[in-house]
Amino acid sequence: LAAIGLADIALLEGRFGDAITHLPPAIQADDEAKNDFGAVAKLLALAEAQKASGDIRGALATIARARARSDEDKVLVTEGLFAVAAARVDVARRVAQELSKRLPAHSRAYGRLVEAEIARAAGDYPAALDALEAGRKLADLWLLRYYSGLVYLQNGSATQAQHEFEFCQKRIGEATAAFLDDLPTLRYAAELPYRIG
């Protein structure tokens, strides 16, 4: 648990190399202890560090390792968002469909988030906002608000973006465990002060 906490801080502070160096031994320790829950969380953080360092191929391989162990929402969401970044829209659509078929409302809301990212990558900002709004009707999750701000910002709607980012700041506590599993994810808020500025 300490290892994922330290990795989360390293990613929050932009020290991606530290996370890449320190996470593999912790993942190996989880493997030896047969702690898939811990290993998956660390694999996701490692993939995020790899992607932030420019190694999208390594990040996708790490996500595949996590996916082989788990189909939790956090794994699927990360896989879907990374697939969009890698222009693998087919994979992202499959992930969005899988999330959208789940019973929990927050899972279906995450499916809308992946749909929104597909639309945003294609420059279809109205469709992205519609997907995020549909997701918020299911569950008003912090990540959906943050991505709404990104869509507004990219579309040149600074006032609406500012509103969403300030809303995220007011609810910053939710970013500390974005997937509702008590594992640290404050790294998702790393750029929030910059976006508000």
Side-chain angles (χ1 to χ4, degrees), residues 125-156:
Y125 305 121
L129 289 171
D130 287 347
L132 290 164
E133 180 62 30
R136 282 200 305 271
K137 287 179 182 174
L138 292 166
D140 191 3
L141 302 169
W142 189 91
L143 280 173
L144 273 68
R145 290 287 185 165
Y146 183 75
Y147 276 86
S148 293
L150 293 177
V151 173
Y152 279 125
L153 190 63
Q154 195 167 354
N155 190 40

Side-chain angles (χ1 to χ4, degrees), residues 23-38:
L23 281 168
I27 293 166
Q28 184 176 349
D30 282 337
D31 287 343
E32 290 168 2
K34 301 196 183 317
N35 177 10
D36 279 344
F37 182 74

